[in-house]
Amino acid sequence: MHQLKLAAVLLCALAGQAAAQGPVAPAAPAAKTGGFLPPASSSANVIDSIAVVVNDDVITRNEIAARLRGIVTRMKASNAPMPDAADLQRQVVEAMIVERAQNQLAKEMGVKVSDQELDRAIGRIAEGQKMSLQEMRNQMEKEGMTYPAFREEIRNEIMLQRLREHEVDNKIQISDAEVDTYLAGEQAAAAEQFELNVSQILVSIPQNASPEQIAARKARADEVARQLRTGADFAKIAATYSDAPDALKGGEVGWRDANRLPPVFAEALGKLAPGQVTPVIRSNTGFHLLKLVGKRSAAESTKDKTAEQQQTQVRHILLKVTPTMSAADAKRKLTELKERLDNNAAKFEELARLFSNDGSASKGGDLGWLYPGDTLPEMEAVINTLKPGEVSGVVETPFGFHLIQVLARKTDDASKERQRNAARQVIRERKMQEASEDWARQVRDRAYVEFRDEK
């Protein structure tokens, strides 16, 4: 039974946009049916009504009920702890508000996903789940989600990914000094490193919060801490109270290298034994309670850092899909550039400087020496087939469309440059997490939200 590798993917998609939101206003009360949500009606004449107004759009009660049914089905299938009906509905409504506000922003900026792009993305999801499209569709329907609804959720996820890339990812800068500081700290750390399995509860603070708002959120976090001290189940409390995107997964963050956690988190977790919970921790995002689920040595995962590996020197030209360049336009343009290269009518580095949408454009598209795993799987698969000097055809990845050229190959020990690249990636992940949460909170805070009482 494929249960529920697919459900995990979809649950992340459903909850993933609720990061760093402000204090949660009470959602309209759920209908009293004795269960978690209203039952699906057998009548075609279901009367719908507006539950929430988000800017110039609305969320209806039927939409909320449908979302709740899908989530409850998947939570039950994965034996996830079930919060109270009202708390679950509050979490789901808030996630839908944030999702709707971000989708509106994406549309305002002209971010679109064509049916062809959507079909390819769904094909990759099915392949990743080792299912055919029909098998995935059948599994979806067993779990209570219609295939058209699934398609629209994936379309929204792709739109939001592109929006976050434009609004957050591309604006993150990492200096050489930051890399030097990180590496110096690594050298000073103890030789034995550990990975930590962490769960979290986040009580967020809205942007530009007043002292009274901050005090109210702190009181909420203190109440959560009190319940945990008296033996409450962490996963259930996370699903009930947490404002983090992983709330409906019981607050599960998963295994993390201690060095990739914010220092204040790593320090607090370092004092715990598995199963214990930190005191309330304040950050720019809000108030956190972290549970140390497990701890293990990271020595095994670092063995390959000193192993001899093949390196490939690569450069590329990247054209991103934007409001002014469709996927068809990008592929057509790259095909034209490939013809020019094949006919020796232009140099690769000159075309990269002129046309590439990547930060490497100023360097003629040079990505440097890459180790296995340093780039996207779609790119690496093509790189492995190219001979030095050869230029690929048009390659599609989640970032856009590429022409790739392999310049040279060598086998060498893991170098200092690789260590710096790894450090740069760790710093980027830290910055991206905080920047993404801050951006999501700003989008939510800027939205006009009106809750409608049920008539």
Side-chain angles (χ1 to χ4, degrees), residues 28-316:
K32 296 180 180 178
T33 63
F36 270 82
L37 53 131
S41 172
S42 60
S43 170
N45 299 316
V46 177
I47 298 176
D48 202 359
S49 60
I50 296 172
V52 188
V53 178
V54 184
N55 294 324
D56 57 357
D57 199 357
V58 299
I59 300 172
T60 69
R61 299 186 195 284
N62 283 353
E63 287 179 295
I64 295 170
R67 180 72 66 94
L68 280 165
R69 279 193 294 272
I71 290 178
V72 168
T73 298
R74 285 186 287 276
M75 291 180 77
K76 287 181 177 178
S78 59
N79 294 318
M82 203 74 72
D84 292 337
D87 291 321
L88 179 61
Q89 176 162 315
R90 176 181 58 81
Q91 290 280 1
V92 169
V93 169
E94 186 61 25
M96 293 177 74
I97 290 170
V98 174
E99 177 185 295
R100 196 64 57 92
Q102 292 182 358
N103 274 323
Q104 290 169 0
L105 180 58
K107 290 174 182 177
E108 288 173 12
M109 298 183 66
V111 180
K112 296 179 180 178
V113 179
S114 69
D115 288 340
Q116 187 178 19
E117 292 173 301
L118 184 59
D119 289 339
R120 285 195 296 267
I122 291 174
R124 287 195 292 267
I125 292 173
E127 183 180 348
Q129 300 301 316
K130 294 181 171 53
M131 294 182 181
S132 68
L133 283 174
Q134 188 59 49
E135 287 173 336
M136 186 173 73
R137 184 168 184 164
N138 294 342
Q139 183 68 23
M140 202 93 47
E141 290 170 353
K142 286 180 183 177
E143 296 172 4
M145 175 176 280
T146 66
Y147 188 66
F150 169 71
R151 281 178 59 85
E152 289 311 303
E153 284 196 4
I154 299 302
R155 190 193 301 273
N156 287 339
E157 282 296 303
I158 297 172
M159 284 176 55
L160 295 180
Q161 178 183 349
R162 291 176 177 174
L163 178 65
R164 287 192 296 270
E165 179 184 335
H166 179 271
E167 292 291 295
V168 180
D169 298 6
N170 290 342
K171 297 178 181 179
I172 292 175
Q173 302 292 328
I174 300 167
S175 68
D176 288 340
E178 288 177 292
V179 175
D180 292 339
T181 300
Y182 174 85
L183 291 174
E186 285 282 280
Q187 293 171 359
E192 185 68 17
Q193 300 294 327
F194 290 93
E195 292 179 343
L196 306 177
N197 190 1
V198 180
S199 292
Q200 72 162 334
I201 295 171
L202 166 66
V203 178
S204 66
I205 300 173
Q207 189 179 26
N208 301 320
S210 67
E212 291 78 12
Q213 287 176 306
I214 294 173
R217 303 306 283 175
K218 176 62 164 59
R220 181 181 177 88
D222 289 340
E223 170 58 20
V224 171
R226 186 195 66 77
Q227 293 189 35
L228 293 174
R229 285 195 302 271
T230 57
D233 180 78
F234 191 97
K236 184 173 182 179
I237 293 296
T240 301
Y241 289 101
S242 181
D243 297 324
D246 48 40
L248 295 177
K249 297 189 296 177
E252 180 183 342
V253 176
W255 289 98
R256 292 290 185 272
D257 187 323
N259 292 323
R260 294 182 181 229
L261 294 170
V264 65
F265 291 176
E267 181 181 356
L269 288 165
K271 300 175 181 177
L272 303 182
Q276 293 182 326
V277 178
T278 66
V280 175
I281 300 172
R282 170 74 186 270
S283 75
N284 293 335
T285 307
F287 298 99
H288 306 254
L289 286 148
L290 307 177
K291 179 179 180 180
L292 180 61
V293 180
K295 185 176 182 180
R296 68 187 180 190
S297 170
E300 288 299 314
S301 65
T302 60
K303 282 184 179 179
D304 64 338
K305 293 182 180 179
T306 57
E308 197 174 69
Q309 297 184 48
Q310 178 174 274
Q311 295 174 272
T312 306
Q313 188 179 14
V314 177
R315 57 187 177 189
H316 78 150

Side-chain angles (χ1 to χ4, degrees), residues 318-332:
L318 167 64
L319 295 185
K320 298 180 180 179
V321 176
T322 67
T324 58
M325 177 169 287
S326 67
D329 291 338
K331 288 187 284 188
R332 188 183 311 112

